[in-house]
Amino acid sequence: MYRTHTCGELRKEHLGKSVTLAGWVQGIRDLGNLVFIDLRDRYGMTQLFFDKSSPLAERAKQLGREYVLQVTGFVRERSSKNPQLETGDVEMLVEKLTVLNESKTPPFTIEDVTDGGDDLRMKYRYLDLRRAVVSKNLLHRHRVAQSVREYMDGQGFADVETPFLIKSTPEGARDFVVPSRLNQGQFYALPQSPQTFKQLLMVGGFDRYYQITRCFRDEDLRADRQPEFTQIDCEMAFVEQEDVLQMFEGMVKHVFKKVRGIDLKDFPRMSYTDCLKYYGNDKPDLRFEMRLVELNNLVGGKSFKAFDEAEYVVGIVAENCSEYTRKQTDELTDWVKRPQIGSNGLVFIRCGADGSYKSSVDKYYSADDLKKIAEHCKAQVGDLILILSGGLAKTRRAAGELRLEMGTRLGLRNVEDYKPLWVLDFPLLEWDEEDKRWNAMHHPFTSWKKEDNELINTNPGAVRANAYDVVINGVELSSGSIRIHNRAQQEKMFSLLGLTEEQANYKFGFILNAFEYGAPPHGGIAFGFDRFCSIVISNLDYIRDFIAFPKNNSGRDMMLDAPSDIDARLKKELGL
RNA sequence: GGUCUGGUAGUUUAGUUGGUUAGAAUGCUGCCCUGUCACGGCGGAGGUCGUGGGUUCGAGUCCCAUCCAGACCGCCA
């Protein structure tokens, strides 16, 4: 071993001992006759001391940042201590110094507050990983994974690996494909998730399975989306929806307790329909209320065209904002008019401190009209009501976005606060306007509610799935369902999705066949592990900080400069 | 596929209506400094202003194209 202790380990109890440390030079403070070096590793930092009586002092001055050192010396008490450092009471009087490796001056400072921009830090990710603020996230990720495994193992789940080279199924996200050399002109696909395999494991009798595994989707990226990401993939046989909900609510609670020491209360539940109605999306942030209030019945017939002609008029109440300036309201109007939101405008009603109501549409609405609206919205004195109008789906979405924006502006999205939620009763299908056909909202293996059996043929869009999501603070953490487990029902589903019998057999024959050999009732769930980590650890939805080597906005690895062209010879072998 | 923001020393950035030698901080470097820990003090080096074209007497600044990065919409069964 190169060391007897780590750089974060030495304390007063080690005083007088001869120890050996190995690590990186964080910085050198040369005071002329005194030289201090901060030696860093992932456990912490220890101060090395040299004075002019030391034959090593001159060498110490010649070292540079990020040189790798091995030092041996005595631990001694500092004459001026640093309470901000764990090892701040002691320092090492160095007697032997070995340079294990030199370093070029790094392109950015390797400190908690770095001067490096994102590009540069991605290109030199291995240097960025030396920063405690970065490595801390990955070490926490490890803790999350460990506590997941601890819970799953405790509940009798077996970790089974599933293949990465599988068959392309053009349903859903785009597949990453891998050309086959042995089967020229044919391709494997990388799994978007282990969905069909875990169901086959259920048929195979592994009634409790889980896996922390990589998934691949060739879609555009976001702050919370990577082309390869990790799922906690879980499946159980002989269970109903309630069993799955209990089991995995337990897992989330376990992880929060183990990693953060936080006791989450029982998760409330809300239907998909109510989520849209009250929050404008299917993953509401419940850290604050500010519910959407439908105003259609109160605003019509006053000759205000924007409201009279709208399919949907909706208000939200921003508490204590009645004194917003014209500049602030204009800014919000511009915000909702951005193409990403796409509203035509925003109407304001101020609930004045004197009990008066003033709006940007006073021309059409009397004080009494405004009062009725305010009362319907349960607005108090000093509040500001923001009203949007237009088509139902678009306006709901816009109102939901505006609600989140106001929540952010008013500081209502507290990072200390966790508000989990089960979202239930998703629709089984959604209409694809582009392809003029039904798509599975969750995936094509999702079962539907028995009560809705009749609707399957008469009104497929109204059929409710046995599907459920865990949402925390507006982030969709996981998604699952009770699956179909017999051939006839699965064939029915495929036909609803517009697959012919031949297509269904070609793409999914293996699972249809499996269902004919005693497939047990089963269901499960999959958690986005990267998101889970970012929420548990930092309560943000930015997953790149929790991935050791992430890809950038356009799916490039900036360190490797991948993807890249490949050898002409390799192409030929692959028949490309 | 679309919308928006940004690109100026190694790095992070300022740069007014288009006008003299593009400024700062940090990093690097030389000297001084016996208790620093974001050490301090004095000095020094370091810039094809992303790239290409255009307008102009004159472009970091205005226009067009393009590349790169970031955020978002579409997309993500």
Side-chain angles (χ1 to χ4, degrees):
Chain A
M1 295 290 273
Y2 278 80
R3 61 188 178 196
T4 59
H5 297 75
T6 70
C7 296
E9 205 175 343
L10 298 178
R11 299 286 186 278
K12 268 183 174 171
E13 68 205 61
H14 299 95
L15 289 178
K17 281 193 176 149
S18 176
V19 298
T20 302
L21 300 178
W24 287 264
V25 174
Q26 166 86 30
I28 302 171
R29 289 179 295 282
D30 177 2
L31 275 64
N33 287 314
L34 295 180
V35 183
F36 301 97
I37 293 181
D38 288 330
L39 196 70
R40 175 212 339 115
D41 61 18
R42 88 161 151 100
Y43 306 95
M45 205 143 74
T46 299
Q47 177 167 285
L48 311 179
F49 177 86
F50 305 82
D51 69 9
K52 69 174 175 188
S53 68
S54 166
L56 297 172
E58 282 311 305
R59 274 183 67 204
K61 291 181 184 185
Q62 302 304 313
L63 300 170
R65 283 163 51 206
E66 301 308 315
Y67 273 47
V68 187
L69 306 184
Q70 182 187 38
V71 285
T72 302
F74 287 97
V75 182
R76 65 174 204 178
E77 191 163 8
R78 292 195 193 190
S79 63
S80 72
K81 301 185 172 38
N82 183 351
Q84 291 176 315
L85 214 58
E86 302 259 358
T87 61
D89 286 345
V90 300
E91 66 190 358
M92 180 199 274
L93 185 61
V94 180
E95 296 192 310
K96 186 177 174 219
L97 185 158
T98 309
V99 175
L100 298 174
N101 211 341
E102 298 184 351
S103 172
K104 286 170 47 172
T105 302
F108 53 89
T109 55
I110 317 257
E111 287 159 21
D112 283 0
V113 181
T114 179
D115 63 358
D118 292 341
D119 295 23
L120 206 62
R121 284 166 38 222
M122 282 303 169
K123 186 173 174 189
Y124 297 93
R125 184 69 170 174
Y126 46 87
L127 295 181
D128 206 26
L129 290 172
R130 289 183 193 163
R131 299 197 302 132
V133 285
V134 179
S135 63
K136 185 192 82 199
N137 287 334
L138 294 178
L139 294 168
H140 274 123
R141 179 184 174 115
H142 166 71
R143 299 281 6 133
V144 175
Q146 285 300 112
S147 58
V148 167
R149 292 190 183 283
E150 184 178 78
Y151 181 86
M152 298 306 281
D153 185 55
Q155 298 289 337
F157 284 78
D159 181 348
V160 181
E161 289 175 276
T162 53
F164 280 171
L165 296 174
I166 66 167
K167 182 169 175 165
S168 176
T169 54
E171 293 289 314
R174 282 185 203 90
D175 284 320
F176 279 103
V177 294
V178 180
S180 166
R181 179 179 59 82
L182 297 175
N183 305 273
Q184 295 259 312
Q186 295 191 315
F187 298 83
Y188 298 101
L190 302 178
Q192 296 172 23
S193 81
Q195 181 59 38
T196 50
F197 290 102
K198 68 175 170 181
Q199 292 191 246
L200 294 169
L201 284 169
M202 293 304 110
V203 181
F206 284 80
D207 62 350
R208 289 188 172 197
Y209 141 91
Y210 88 108
Q211 186 184 189
I212 299 180
T213 190
R214 204 65 57 82
C215 302
F216 306 86
R217 292 179 191 174
D218 189 6
E219 295 293 343
D220 285 10
L221 276 47
R222 292 284 190 283
D224 61 338
R225 276 168 21 196
Q226 286 272 300
E228 52 177 311
F229 61 100
T230 304
Q231 276 190 354
I232 311 168
D233 191 51
C234 313
E235 197 78 4
M236 305 169 78
F238 308 117
V239 287
E240 292 170 327
Q241 174 167 309
E242 187 59 33
D243 303 313
V244 179
L245 264 46
Q246 293 291 341
M247 178 62 74
F248 293 99
E249 184 168 326
M251 188 196 83
V252 175
K253 285 175 178 169
H254 178 84
V255 171
F256 269 86
K257 180 69 181 170
K258 285 284 173 167
V259 177
R260 294 287 309 275
I262 294 170
D263 285 303
L264 292 180
K265 296 197 182 93
D266 289 347
F267 299 3
R269 301 174 181 194
M270 196 182 299
S271 72
Y272 171 86
T273 312
D274 282 351
C275 284
L276 287 190
K277 190 170 160 190
Y278 296 124
Y279 299 98
N281 63 43
D282 62 359
K283 43 177 183 163
D285 185 344
L286 296 187
R287 282 175 294 182
F288 63 108
E289 267 298 317
M290 208 188 285
R291 286 188 174 202
L292 277 53
V293 184
E294 184 173 332
L295 299 172
N296 289 34
N297 295 334
L298 285 90
V299 297
K302 304 283 178 182
S303 309
F304 183 49
K305 272 175 85 177
F307 286 177
D308 284 355
E309 292 174 2
E311 181 187 5
Y312 182 61
V313 181
V314 63
I316 58 175
V317 177
E319 289 180 15
N320 301 314
C321 292
S322 70
E323 300 302 315
Y324 260 33
T325 60
R326 177 64 189 260
K327 192 182 162 193
Q328 283 173 298
T329 56
D330 281 354
E331 196 183 290
L332 283 173
T333 305
D334 288 343
W335 191 87
V336 300
K337 281 180 166 176
R338 288 182 315 147
Q340 281 85 347
I341 304 293
S343 281
N344 296 321
L346 193 53
V347 168
F348 299 92
I349 300 177
R350 297 169 191 274
C351 308
D354 54 358
S356 71
Y357 296 95
K358 287 207 179 70
S359 81
S360 46
V361 286
D362 281 348
K363 201 157 51 157
Y364 304 98
Y365 296 93
S366 68
D368 197 47
D369 296 332
L370 298 177
K371 189 180 176 194
K372 275 181 188 153
I373 295 170
E375 280 170 356
H376 185 66
C377 294
K378 298 190 171 65
Q380 307 290 313
V381 163
D383 292 351
L384 180 70
I385 305 172
L386 297 80
I387 304 173
L388 291 161
S389 64
L392 176 64
K394 193 175 174 182
T395 305
R396 255 190 185 160
R397 198 178 69 80
E401 292 293 330
L402 180 62
R403 172 181 174 272
L404 291 174
E405 176 67 17
M406 291 309 295
T408 302
R409 288 185 187 213
L410 299 174
L412 302 174
R413 305 175 79 184
N414 184 348
V415 293
E416 301 300 323
D417 210 7
Y418 286 102
K419 286 288 186 304
L421 170 75
W422 282 109
V423 179
L424 306 175
D425 302 338
F426 283 85
L428 182 68
L429 302 163
E430 58 187 345
W431 184 248
D432 184 333
E433 203 39 62
E434 205 174 317
D435 294 346
K436 303 290 176 201
R437 65 181 189 92
W438 293 104
N439 266 335
M441 188 150 188
H442 182 51
H443 58 52
F445 311 102
T446 304
S447 68
W448 57 87
K449 298 206 179 292
K450 273 186 196 149
E451 311 93 272
D452 294 350
N453 251 332
E454 291 300 309
L455 292 169
I456 276 283
N457 297 310
T458 55
N459 185 6
V463 176
R464 290 166 302 157
N466 293 311
Y468 33 82
D469 279 6
V470 176
V471 172
I472 300 185
N473 295 353
V475 176
E476 183 195 320
L477 269 199
S478 79
S479 204
S481 62
I482 299 298
R483 328 297 185 186
I484 297 167
H485 65 277
N486 76 67
R487 178 160 187 144
Q489 200 174 9
Q490 188 65 65
E491 282 177 336
K492 177 72 188 171
M493 182 68 178
F494 286 145
S495 83
L496 280 169
L497 298 177
L499 269 69
T500 63
E501 208 181 315
E502 293 74 41
Q503 287 171 323
N505 274 311
Y506 177 76
K507 290 176 183 169
F508 297 110
F510 60 96
I511 200 162
L512 290 169
N513 290 338
F515 285 169
E516 293 188 295
Y517 290 94
H522 62 281
I525 196 164
F527 287 78
F529 182 62
D530 313 278
R531 283 188 194 173
F532 198 178
C533 290
S534 77
I535 286 292
V536 172
I537 296 159
S538 69
N539 209 345
L540 294 174
D541 199 12
Y542 186 81
I543 66 173
R544 286 178 210 173
D545 288 348
F546 299 90
I547 297 173
F549 298 101
K551 304 208 172 18
N552 78 359
N553 230 11
S554 31
R556 297 200 69 83
D557 184 315
M558 300 188 62
M559 192 177 64
L560 305 176
D561 197 24
S564 63
D565 200 2
I566 57 170
D567 226 64
R569 189 172 143 188
L570 186 53
K571 271 187 202 168
K572 204 178 159 196
E573 281 182 347
L574 293 167
L576 294 174

